[in-house]
Amino acid sequence: MTISKNAKAVISVLEDAGYEAFFVGGCVRDCIMKRPCGDVDITTSATPGELEKALSNNNIKFIETGLKHGTVTVLFNGDAFEVTTYRTDGDYKDNRHPENVRFVKSLSEDLARRDFTVNAIAYNDSVGTVDIFGGKEDIDNKIIRAVGDPDKRFNEDALRIMRAIRFASVLSFNIEDETKKAIYKNKELLKNVSLERIFTELSKLLTGDNVFNVLMEYREIIAVVIPELEPIFNISQNTKWHIYDVWEHTCKSVEQSPKDLALRITMLLHDIGKAYSKTTDENGTDHFKGHQKISAVYAENILKRLKAPNEIYDRVMFLVPIHDMHIGTEKKKIKKCLSKAGEKNLRDLIEVKRADKLAQNPQMTQWELINLDITQAVLDEIIAEGEPFRVKDLAVNGNDMLSLGLKGKEVGNALNTLIDKVINNELVNEKDELISYVKRWIL
């Protein structure tokens, strides 16, 4: 398996000291699937004390990050690896953390406590692959299956419910029937899990290749985490612009957006307001006037509750209330949008509008999609040519205005007037011309 030499060196140190040590979990799964290997976890027969002694004897640094549960973080040649003693877990009274653990000498006992078969495979160069629960077969068949009794696994740790559907999205796997039944049976236990952990799993789920199918099939699970979504599950859209109900449109728009978390969260939340703004006219056509602002109110509450990072919060809250805004293809209008929003925000908005249109009626959105491509091309040209669209792009600055005798707010107002004139091609962005205009019309 292609696992780093540094990680293999740590295993060799433990084996040379007389202990068993194996790679385990996601790194083994990803190597089998020929995917990039992320965090490397190691499990060992050495107790924490024995582990630390073996490391110290070889001048290897470590941090006691989870000693209570037998976990030590090993620092080796610039890499960090979590090494955990073989263990079995005690009762999980909070549906999240074991009350206690018992260290054992059997790898099979340690693997038996893990969440899914695809994550319960161990490997080292000496023994090869240890696959007691059929994880390799499940990988081959693209199946997520709980280790042992799925009901027990989810009662032990309810976050595993989100992990299951996250893996289904990221790996494009199906969830085995008994595991799926246990997910639905125990879904309310997710309310006992910290919102930070929920947000982490949801974030990975939303950026998966199989996100559309997972959101469609496991919407009831998502609704436990974000109950504000449930009202749009069965909202029809009888309009020439749509061929899907609101939820299916939402799921398709998530799938069609780039794998950028802020954009995918935007698409997940952009139409929540349709449940509260729907009207139907005398012709039977549905309308959703003002749904953007309503969606923004719900999005704000959801993001704050889930404790989304500020960068994600800011981008989503910029996009949701204006996701239906018309940008146009005219350079002047694009420059004005750039001036107000900035390049990053405008590029985000184009992607959001494209994803939205790709999830509507293709017979109605062809020209709008073409226009978005034109908008993006014009935007690229403006940036590449360094054309002015911000006050700081002007050939004059605040000091120039002060030297002309302007004070306080007059300086900012004058500069804003100048950039508007330059964007509208009423003035050339040259210092003498801009100064002359201020003298003639502003002073």
Side-chain angles (χ1 to χ4, degrees), residues 1 22 28 32 121-124 127-131 136:
M1 288 194 180
F22 291 85
V28 179
I32 291 172
I121 308 170
Y123 171 86
N124 68 24
V127 177
T129 300
V130 179
D131 181 20
K136 288 180 68 176

Side-chain angles (χ1 to χ4, degrees), residues 37-57:
C37 181
D39 294 338
V40 175
D41 293 326
I42 296 170
T43 187
T44 179
S45 62
T47 65
E50 292 168 338
L51 168 60
E52 291 183 356
K53 183 178 179 181
L55 295 171
S56 296
N57 289 342

Side-chain angles (χ1 to χ4, degrees), residues 106-245:
S106 165
L107 174 62
S108 61
E109 286 184 89
D110 183 82
L111 296 177
R113 72 176 175 83
R114 296 179 182 269
D115 53 6
F116 308 111
T117 60
V118 297
N119 296 331
I121 308 170
Y123 171 86
N124 68 24
D125 287 343
S126 304
V127 177
T129 300
V130 179
D131 181 20
I132 299 169
F133 300 100
K136 288 180 68 176
E137 183 178 356
D138 284 343
I139 289 173
D140 290 341
N141 293 323
K142 298 187 175 182
I143 289 173
I144 300 297
R145 184 194 311 272
V147 173
D149 179 0
D151 192 57
K152 180 180 179 182
R153 291 286 86 83
F154 296 132
N155 269 274
E156 288 173 341
D157 183 355
L159 185 63
R160 289 169 174 167
I161 295 170
M162 285 299 296
R163 283 171 58 80
I165 61 176
R166 183 253 285 188
F167 287 130
S169 176
V170 172
L171 302 178
S172 296
F173 282 16
N174 292 313
I175 299 177
E176 176 266 338
D177 286 344
E178 292 303 313
T179 304
K180 186 186 300 185
K181 288 177 185 176
I183 284 173
Y184 279 99
K185 177 183 176 182
N186 295 288
K187 67 181 189 295
E188 296 298 322
L189 295 178
L190 282 171
K191 295 176 180 178
N192 299 333
V193 179
S194 76
L195 292 172
E196 292 93 339
R197 298 304 300 271
I198 292 288
F199 183 79
T200 297
E201 294 298 328
L202 179 65
S203 299
K204 294 175 182 177
L205 183 161
L206 288 174
T207 52
D209 289 336
N210 195 34
V211 63
F212 171 77
N213 292 323
V214 169
L215 289 177
M216 287 293 292
E217 184 169 3
Y218 296 98
R219 66 183 194 177
E220 292 178 35
I221 311 305
I222 303 299
V224 176
V225 176
I226 309 178
E228 294 91 340
L229 287 170
E230 190 168 4
I232 65 170
F233 285 168
N234 298 298
I235 299 290
S236 61
Q237 299 188 97
N238 184 24
T239 161
K240 64 182 180 180
W241 295 101
H242 289 278
I243 57 175
Y244 308 112
D245 64 25

Side-chain angles (χ1 to χ4, degrees), residues 242-261:
H242 289 278
I243 57 175
Y244 308 112
D245 64 25
V246 177
W247 180 242
E248 188 167 2
H249 161 74
T250 294
C251 298
K252 283 194 173 293
S253 70
V254 172
E255 179 187 45
Q256 291 294 338
S257 67
K259 289 182 182 179
D260 177 302
L261 181 58

